[in-house]
């Protein structure tokens, strides 16, 4: 399962970069990041600030979560071969995979937000209300993923 999650993580990285570059290409010089009650932009940042801030935040989030996942995985790998059948070894491996899965969901959220901001700033008359469901779907998936963490932890507690 770890190899599949790693592959999906790499795909989510590439998908974000692709989506973000396409959105950046079509953004106006001033990017609306907030709207008033009428749906008109009322807070703006420059296109460059949006791009570099978005890439920086994306990279920071992925690096921190990757290092955290890697640290847990290395700790599990350091366990000697006699303990590989223990519940702690399996718990640490599952936790490392869980963190990578969380990173994938966060990347999907970043993709969705960047596409939504691109649609919001589009010169075409594209309604953003058609895409609002996607903004709410990703946090629901993240909550489901947090529930899965509880399942992992309760399984580890039962084994000890």
């Amino acid at each position: 399962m770890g190899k599949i999650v790693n592959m999906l993580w790499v795909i989510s990285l590439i998908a974000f970069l692709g989506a973000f570059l396409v959105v950046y290409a079509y953004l106006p010089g001033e990017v609306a990041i907030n709207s008033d009650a009428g749906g008109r932009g009322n807070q703006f940042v420059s296109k460059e600030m949006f791009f570099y801030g978005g890439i920086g935040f994306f990279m920071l989030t992925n690096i921190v979560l990757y290092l955290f996942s890697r640290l847990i995985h290395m700790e599990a790998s350091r366990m000697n071969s006699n303990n590989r059948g223990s519940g702690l070894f399996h718990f640490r491996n599952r936790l490392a995979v869980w963190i990578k899965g969380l990173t994938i969901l966060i990347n999907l959220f970043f993709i969705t937000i960047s596409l939504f901001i691109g649609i919001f700033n589009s010169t075409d008359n594209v309604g953003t209300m058609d895409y609002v469901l996607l903004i709410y779907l990703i946090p629901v998936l993240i909550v489901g993923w947090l529930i899965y963490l509880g399942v992992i932890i309760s399984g580890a507690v039962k084994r000890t």
Side-chain angles (χ1 to χ4, degrees), residues 18-96:
F20 201 68
L21 288 174
V22 168
V23 166
Y24 175 74
Y26 289 102
L27 287 175
E30 291 290 313
V31 180
I33 58 171
N34 196 9
S35 66
D36 59 14
R40 294 174 302 278
N42 64 358
Q43 290 182 349
F44 298 89
V45 296
S46 70
K47 182 178 181 177
E48 292 76 22
M49 175 90 142
F50 174 75
F51 179 76
Y52 291 118
I55 290 290
F57 189 68
F58 174 79
M59 287 176 53
L60 178 69
T61 303
N62 274 271
I63 288 170
V64 166
L65 288 171
Y66 174 79
L67 290 176
F68 190 56
S69 169
R70 199 71 197 131
L71 179 69
I72 292 171
H73 184 71
M74 285 183 350
E75 187 66 30
S77 297
R78 279 193 335 168
M79 299 178 86
N80 63 28
S81 60
N82 295 338
N83 290 336
R84 292 213 184 252
S86 73
L88 186 59
F89 173 77
H90 292 295
F91 170 72
R92 287 181 178 168
N93 275 333
R94 288 180 77 188
L95 186 61

Side-chain angles (χ1 to χ4, degrees), residues 37-157:
R40 294 174 302 278
N42 64 358
Q43 290 182 349
F44 298 89
V45 296
S46 70
K47 182 178 181 177
E48 292 76 22
M49 175 90 142
F50 174 75
F51 179 76
Y52 291 118
I55 290 290
F57 189 68
F58 174 79
M59 287 176 53
L60 178 69
T61 303
N62 274 271
I63 288 170
V64 166
L65 288 171
Y66 174 79
L67 290 176
F68 190 56
S69 169
R70 199 71 197 131
L71 179 69
I72 292 171
H73 184 71
M74 285 183 350
E75 187 66 30
S77 297
R78 279 193 335 168
M79 299 178 86
N80 63 28
S81 60
N82 295 338
N83 290 336
R84 292 213 184 252
S86 73
L88 186 59
F89 173 77
H90 292 295
F91 170 72
R92 287 181 178 168
N93 275 333
R94 288 180 77 188
L95 186 61
V97 170
W98 182 87
I99 292 170
K100 277 279 180 72
L102 178 66
T103 308
I104 293 167
L105 289 176
I106 291 171
N107 289 348
L108 288 175
F109 186 67
F110 287 154
I111 291 168
T112 305
I113 291 295
S114 64
L115 291 174
F116 187 79
I117 289 174
I119 291 168
F120 181 69
N121 285 279
S122 173
T123 56
D124 299 332
N125 267 344
V126 179
T128 55
M129 293 308 291
D130 297 334
Y131 302 97
V132 170
L133 179 63
L134 290 175
I135 300 295
Y136 294 114
L137 179 64
I138 303 297
V140 168
L141 291 175
I142 290 173
V143 167
W145 201 247
L146 290 170
I147 291 170
Y148 178 58
L149 175 63
V151 170
I152 292 173
I153 292 171
S154 69
V157 169

